[in-house]
Amino acid sequence: MSSKLNYLTGGGEMGELTRNYDWASHPLGAINTWPPLLLSTVGTILKSKFPMFLWWGSQFYQFYNDAYRTSLGISGKHPHALGQRGEDCWTETWPVIKPLIDRVLYDNEGCWFEDQMIPVYRNGSLENCYWTFSYSPLIDLDGSTAGVLVVCQETTEKVQLLNQLQAANLTLQRSQALIERQNHELKSFLTHNPGGVCILQGDDLVYTFVNDNYQQLFPDRQLLGRSVFKVFPELESQQLHNNILHVYQTGKSFTVNEQLFILPNANGEPSEHYYNFTMQAKVSSQGKIDGVLAFVYEVTQAVLARQREKELENRFRFVIDTMPQQVWICDATGKVVYVNAKVCENYGVDAHTLIESGLNYFVHPDDIGGVLEKWNQSLANGTAFTEVLRLRFADGEYRWHLSVAVPYEEDGMIKQWIGTNTDIDKQKANERKKDEFLSIASHELKTPLTTTKAFIQLAKKSFEQDSDQIWKFLVKSEEQTDRLLRLINDLLDVSKINAGNVVYNKTPFSFTQSLKHTVESMAQISRIHHITLQSNCDIDFNGDRDRLEQVFINLINNAIKYSPNGGEIIVRCEKEGQNIIVSVQDFGIGIAEDNLERLFDRFYRIDNSSLKFQGLGLGLYIVADIIKRHGGSFWIESEPNKGSTFSFLLPLNGRQELLDIDTDGRTYYHGSFVNIDFNAKENYIHVDWLGYQNYDSVTKGCSIMLSLMKASRCYRILNDNTRVSGNWSEASDWGAKVWFPQMAQAGLAKFAWIYSPSTFSRISSNKSVPQNYEGVDLQFFDDVAAAKKWLLCANALPVN
Ligand code: ADP
């Protein structure tokens, strides 16, 4: 017995258990009854340090060693598995194991399994365990198979590790694929980006990637492999280099819109380019900034298009703002959204306030009802609006306007109303004047006719009694017929002047005699006036004698008519140089300054005199035409209640002489009518107007002033009119519209205008400058010293 137990010595825990097992109660019987094969095999197993297991006999009784025991877990099959039947022990896996055992038994051959999964119930649960094992038949001496020896090793951990490794590998592969796809997508995104994209790498910021769009922005430059600083040396002065470096050094992104860069074009000429661009730091996988990524969009076309649009808009606004009409725009509901400069100027209110308040406030209370009714109809029906209405201007006066508004449609929908208000006050006034004229004319023509008729009736009644009486009536009738004839002649003259059909028969005649004769015959007309001629010369003149006598008659007639209380009327005639100067002075009602300048207009009659005095308002108009046609000019001095002096000048040779005396074309001009001198020391130009001025003298003198200002590059002017004797206001319109704007444009900075003592000339001066002029400092003065002091004062703009 003990000798048999010797087979089973050692073997650790399992050796112990096997030896102490109650084999006697087991079908295998006590150890000493065991066959030698079993004994030697169990002994070998127990001593082996490699996991081993044995199924013995037809019931597959089990033996295993310490190395195997660990695979059975802490709680589970161990230690019952010892001596247990295979089928009872491995109930959960027997269907897997048994066929393998049967194959060994049947083939009498061993078999080998690597990392085979065989679930084992252990540690309180069924675990998926992996095994590498060999089943080998245990052959007895008689050649029969006595059992199956299992040499095995649990590889669960290895398999699990392997599985984890495979999973990790798979994840890695997937990640790599993902990165590759993303890389591909990124590259495709950068390549096909509608803007230019580039990557600048390293401290030198070398181009390592540029897409086609980027390269096309700079077609003639080699980019890849070169530092941005070398590619664009010209941008160093344009701050770009510093900006790129800043992004690279700080990691702070940099975005600029519509940045202008001057780059040479294909011909090497500098051309303007506008870019939107963003630069951001490029960060390496180690988290360090290793370059700069730039996205660039050239927006030159868009910027230029917008600039052009803006220019067009500015031009459009300029046109609208300089229009003489009020222009306003309403939205579809009729709310004002825009007014031009004229509207603001007329109402004396800024655009913002007008847009807030609307324009109804300025419509005359008697017109507003009708205007609103029509306007609402237009808004409702989408039909054009037209109305004649009165609008109140900043000076509180109402002026007649024609208001028109038309709808502006887009896609069949009214978007806006574009409206204009055209000042028709003059036309209205003219209409009124025409009506007045017709009624005055009818009255004027009717009076002599009815008077004549009355005298004829009286003559008829006296026919058989008193021939003296008849004679008186006939004389009176003749006087009235003459008056009628004069009125009709005046009317005919005016229509001839307008049609340009007046024929002037110029012949030499004694001007002084003709004047003397007229004064003498006119002196008979009124008993309450004393008309005298003061003349110490005898002048011959080449002109239309009848027409010039008409001038004398009209002026003396007016002097009589407008001094109803009688008194002196002084007619003066003298020769000054090559001119005849005539004046007619009365001490009658006089004329206010405001009315002076329109006196020579057709049908113009001063309101307060028109009701009291006979007349059609044609006399002075005809006078003006006759004087102009003789190359002359005219002017008036007058004061209300003190009287008036009407003067005219006739050049003896048919044209007022404008003699050039001396000029260097640059610093001075001396002429018969003006002296212009550039004072280099005090840096101003002195313009000294001399004597009688007319359209020709004013336009000539002003043009010389402009060219000397440009030539001497001196932009301060002392415009001295103190020595002007008379002036013809027709040049003032030219001054305001043509000459002064040219002066302003040429750089005129300061302009001191000294008035002439002549009121008429003073009016011309005020009219000779436009109401709005920018950049010119202008002031009117009465005396030269004050004007010069102002012109040369310290705050004067620098000249030259
Ligand atoms: P008429 O005398 O027929 O009205 P004129 O053309 O001769 O027409 O004169 C135009 C206006 O000028 C007159 O209506 C008058 O108001 C004013 N006027 C003309 N001469 C004088 C004068 N000597 N004194 C005051 N007012 C005058």
Side-chain angles (χ1 to χ4, degrees):
M1 161 80 176
S2 61
S3 62
K4 291 220 173 168
L5 267 179
N6 281 345
Y7 283 100
L8 305 181
T9 54
E13 184 197 348
M14 287 315 293
E16 192 83 18
L17 283 174
T18 309
R19 283 191 296 274
N20 296 336
Y21 193 91
D22 181 13
W23 294 109
S25 315
H26 190 275
L28 282 178
I31 294 174
N32 54 3
T33 63
W34 291 359
L37 181 61
L38 177 60
L39 269 176
S40 62
T41 307
V42 172
T44 309
I45 288 171
L46 289 176
K47 284 187 184 65
S48 171
K49 298 297 172 205
F50 206 81
M52 288 180 129
F53 189 94
L54 174 68
W55 280 298
W56 179 261
S58 58
Q59 294 305 310
F60 303 104
Y61 295 119
Q62 306 181 140
F63 296 90
Y64 53 95
N65 62 4
D66 274 3
Y68 183 85
R69 182 247 170 281
T70 46
S71 298
L72 294 177
I74 294 161
S75 63
K77 300 188 190 305
H78 176 76
H80 325 290
L82 181 65
Q84 204 177 6
R85 279 175 6 118
E87 193 172 355
D88 297 338
C89 179
W90 304 103
T91 45
E92 67 276 24
T93 48
W94 198 244
V96 181
I97 302 168
K98 184 61 173 44
L100 300 175
I101 297 172
D102 285 345
R103 242 173 68 201
V104 172
L105 295 175
Y106 179 78
D107 291 343
N108 227 357
E109 281 278 339
C111 62
W112 165 262
F113 298 95
E114 202 172 346
D115 299 330
Q116 176 80 25
M117 205 267 274
I118 297 173
V120 176
Y121 185 84
R122 64 184 183 191
N123 304 326
S125 65
L126 189 67
E127 290 182 25
N128 284 338
C129 300
Y130 292 85
W131 307 86
T132 292
F133 57 90
S134 75
Y135 282 10
S136 42
L138 203 63
I139 312 293
D140 214 343
L141 288 172
D142 59 1
S144 66
T145 307
V148 174
L149 179 65
V150 181
V151 178
C152 65
Q153 185 165 26
E154 185 176 354
T155 59
T156 307
E157 245 175 60
K158 180 193 117 188
V159 169
Q160 278 172 349
L161 270 175
L162 222 72
N163 284 347
Q164 280 170 9
L165 208 63
Q166 269 174 1
N169 246 338
L170 204 68
T171 315
L172 195 68
Q173 275 170 13
R174 283 201 189 123
S175 306
Q176 270 172 349
L178 190 69
I179 288 168
E180 244 166 57
R181 208 174 59 235
Q182 282 176 344
N183 263 343
H184 180 76
E185 279 171 6
L186 183 66
K187 203 162 177 198
S188 153
F189 165 75
L190 295 179
T191 306
H192 299 111
N193 192 288
V197 183
C198 73
I199 296 173
L200 305 168
Q201 199 75 33
D203 291 348
D204 289 338
L205 295 164
V206 170
Y207 281 101
T208 54
F209 171 85
V210 290
N211 71 353
D212 288 350
N213 288 339
Y214 191 91
Q215 181 67 69
Q216 273 164 22
L217 294 176
F218 316 103
D220 45 357
R221 301 202 187 208
Q222 167 65 37
L223 302 171
L224 281 175
R226 296 182 67 207
S227 160
V228 69
F229 306 123
K230 295 239 162 68
V231 174
F232 295 106
E234 64 272 52
L235 294 187
E236 189 164 7
S237 56
Q238 299 180 42
Q239 260 297 321
L240 191 70
H241 286 188
N242 286 346
N243 292 335
I244 302 175
L245 274 175
H246 190 255
V247 173
Y248 182 65
Q249 283 158 1
T250 64
K252 285 191 184 141
S253 296
F254 174 72
T255 298
V256 176
N257 285 334
E258 298 178 1
Q259 173 81 34
L260 169 68
F261 290 111
I262 312 287
L263 293 170
N265 64 14
N267 305 326
E269 295 148 356
S271 70
E272 290 187 356
H273 294 261
Y274 291 88
Y275 296 101
N276 285 358
F277 60 84
T278 297
M279 287 188 281
Q280 64 187 64
K282 183 176 159 295
V283 181
S284 71
S285 49
Q286 284 82 44
K288 269 187 64 186
I289 295 173
D290 66 351
V292 171
L293 189 65
F295 293 85
V296 185
Y297 298 84
E298 174 151 20
V299 289
T300 307
Q301 293 309 324
V303 171
L304 292 182
R306 215 186 42 243
Q307 282 175 356
R308 272 195 297 275
E309 221 168 77
K310 189 87 197 137
E311 253 169 49
L312 272 179
E313 193 186 314
N314 285 346
R315 232 176 275 168
F316 175 72
R317 254 171 211 273
F318 176 78
V319 170
I320 297 268
D321 278 343
T322 49
M323 270 172 78
Q325 277 107 337
Q326 295 183 1
V327 180
W328 44 271
I329 298 175
C330 285
D331 64 14
T333 67
K335 189 187 171 319
V336 179
V337 292
Y338 168 79
V339 291
N340 73 344
K342 194 74 188 169
V343 179
C344 305
E345 182 194 316
N346 286 165
Y347 300 138
V349 181
D350 66 273
H352 180 73
T353 315
L354 285 171
I355 288 168
E356 283 292 301
S357 67
L359 303 177
N360 293 345
Y361 174 70
F362 301 96
V363 180
H364 194 286
D366 292 350
D367 301 339
I368 188 76
V371 168
L372 284 180
E373 196 182 322
K374 273 202 178 174
W375 177 228
N376 288 331
Q377 269 173 14
S378 291
L379 285 177
N381 305 334
T383 51
F385 165 85
T386 311
E387 186 69 330
V388 173
L389 44 78
R390 279 162 289 178
L391 295 171
R392 200 185 63 240
F393 277 26
D395 59 6
E397 295 285 324
Y398 282 96
R399 283 180 179 70
W400 284 99
H401 280 77
L402 171 68
S403 184
V404 176
V406 285
Y408 170 72
E409 295 183 9
E410 264 176 26
D411 305 325
M413 293 279 290
I414 294 179
K415 292 277 170 205
Q416 286 182 328
W417 289 83
I418 319 289
T420 53
N421 296 338
T422 310
D423 193 334
I424 53 164
D425 208 55
K426 260 200 184 147
Q427 286 95 309
K428 275 270 180 189
N430 281 344
E431 265 174 40
R432 213 172 44 238
K433 284 255 165 232
K434 212 185 260 174
D435 290 345
E436 268 172 28
F437 171 75
L438 281 177
S439 100
I440 291 169
S442 324
H443 177 78
E444 291 288 314
L445 294 170
K446 206 175 142 197
T447 313
L449 263 184
T450 36
T451 322
T452 310
K453 197 174 168 198
F455 285 131
I456 290 171
Q457 279 169 351
L458 285 171
K460 265 164 73 186
K461 273 191 195 154
S462 321
F463 189 61
E464 281 175 0
Q465 301 135 28
D466 189 347
S467 58
D468 279 356
Q469 197 67 9
I470 295 173
W471 178 252
K472 272 189 199 158
F473 290 141
L474 285 177
V475 170
K476 296 258 182 208
S477 299
E478 196 184 15
E479 278 173 17
Q480 292 302 319
T481 320
D482 285 346
R483 191 178 147 199
L484 198 60
L485 209 65
R486 270 202 310 275
L487 285 170
I488 292 170
N489 277 339
D490 275 359
L491 281 171
L492 284 174
D493 278 351
V494 168
S495 55
K496 275 191 209 159
I497 291 171
N498 290 340
N501 288 338
V502 187
V503 180
Y504 284 85
N505 296 315
K506 291 188 183 172
T507 49
F509 69 97
S510 166
F511 188 85
T512 335
Q513 282 305 317
S514 162
L515 181 60
K516 197 174 163 213
H517 178 76
T518 312
V519 169
E520 276 167 6
S521 58
M522 302 258 339
Q524 310 300 317
I525 296 177
S526 168
R527 264 185 246 120
I528 57 168
H529 291 91
H530 183 234
I531 309 177
T532 51
L533 172 66
Q534 296 180 0
S535 171
N536 52 9
C537 55
D538 196 357
I539 312 163
D540 283 335
F541 186 68
N542 185 27
D544 189 319
R545 178 184 180 138
D546 292 342
R547 290 286 178 191
L548 287 168
E549 278 182 0
Q550 205 179 340
V551 172
F552 310 149
I553 292 168
N554 278 348
L555 293 181
I556 297 170
N557 245 335
N558 278 352
I560 294 171
K561 196 161 54 171
Y562 296 108
S563 49
N565 299 327
E568 287 289 319
I569 291 174
I570 306 164
V571 181
R572 295 185 183 86
C573 174
E574 56 202 47
K575 188 171 168 240
E576 266 193 46
Q578 286 305 299
N579 301 312
I580 306 174
I581 315 287
V582 179
S583 63
V584 179
Q585 182 177 17
D586 66 57
F587 299 89
I589 61 168
I591 304 161
E593 193 175 318
D594 287 353
N595 293 319
L596 279 180
E597 59 175 292
R598 294 198 57 206
L599 281 195
F600 290 88
D601 288 357
R602 199 163 38 130
F603 307 135
Y604 187 80
R605 309 196 74 222
I606 298 166
D607 284 346
N608 63 1
S609 64
S610 57
L611 292 174
K612 290 187 229 149
F613 304 98
Q614 293 176 343
L616 294 177
L618 299 175
L620 290 182
Y621 178 69
I622 295 168
V623 164
D625 190 68
I626 296 170
I627 294 172
K628 278 190 236 170
R629 296 294 290 264
H630 283 86
S633 58
F634 48 83
W635 60 98
I636 314 164
E637 292 298 322
S638 186
E639 238 184 288
N641 302 321
K642 288 205 172 156
S644 315
T645 305
F646 282 73
S647 308
F648 64 88
L649 171 152
L650 292 174
L652 282 173
N653 56 10
R655 207 183 156 89
Q656 211 169 318
E657 274 201 327
L658 306 174
L659 293 178
D660 302 323
I661 297 168
D662 192 13
T663 179
D664 67 352
R666 205 175 58 80
T667 60
Y668 72 92
Y669 168 88
H670 294 165
S672 60
F673 60 103
V674 71
N675 286 330
I676 306 178
D677 290 283
F678 166 46
N679 181 331
K681 204 168 148 217
E682 292 181 284
N683 222 336
Y684 76 99
I685 294 174
H686 189 180
V687 182
D688 186 13
W689 295 93
L690 305 168
Y692 298 97
Q693 304 295 331
N694 65 3
Y695 183 85
D696 292 339
S697 67
V698 172
T699 51
K700 180 171 176 177
C702 285
S703 303
I704 296 169
M705 191 196 309
L706 175 65
S707 66
L708 289 194
M709 182 183 81
K710 287 186 191 165
S712 63
R713 300 164 71 89
C714 172
Y715 303 103
R716 297 196 293 198
I717 290 180
L718 190 73
N719 191 45
D720 187 355
N721 285 269
T722 33
R723 293 205 275 170
V724 168
S725 308
N727 196 323
W728 186 11
S729 70
E730 268 182 30
S732 55
D733 283 345
W734 171 85
K737 287 198 186 111
V738 181
W739 165 72
F740 201 85
Q742 283 178 350
M743 292 285 285
Q745 204 187 5
L748 175 63
K750 262 191 140 185
F751 199 86
W753 193 312
I754 305 146
Y755 283 129
S756 145
S758 146
T759 323
F760 212 53
S761 165
R762 197 186 183 95
I763 295 168
S764 304
S765 304
N766 292 339
K767 280 177 68 188
S768 294
V769 288
Q771 284 186 335
N772 295 316
Y773 47 86
E774 268 176 28
V776 183
D777 216 354
L778 175 127
Q779 274 205 32
F780 289 98
F781 294 89
D782 278 316
D783 79 298
V784 184
K788 199 173 161 190
K789 193 173 165 208
W790 172 82
L791 188 73
L792 305 183
C793 70
N795 67 358
L797 291 171
V799 286
N800 281 322

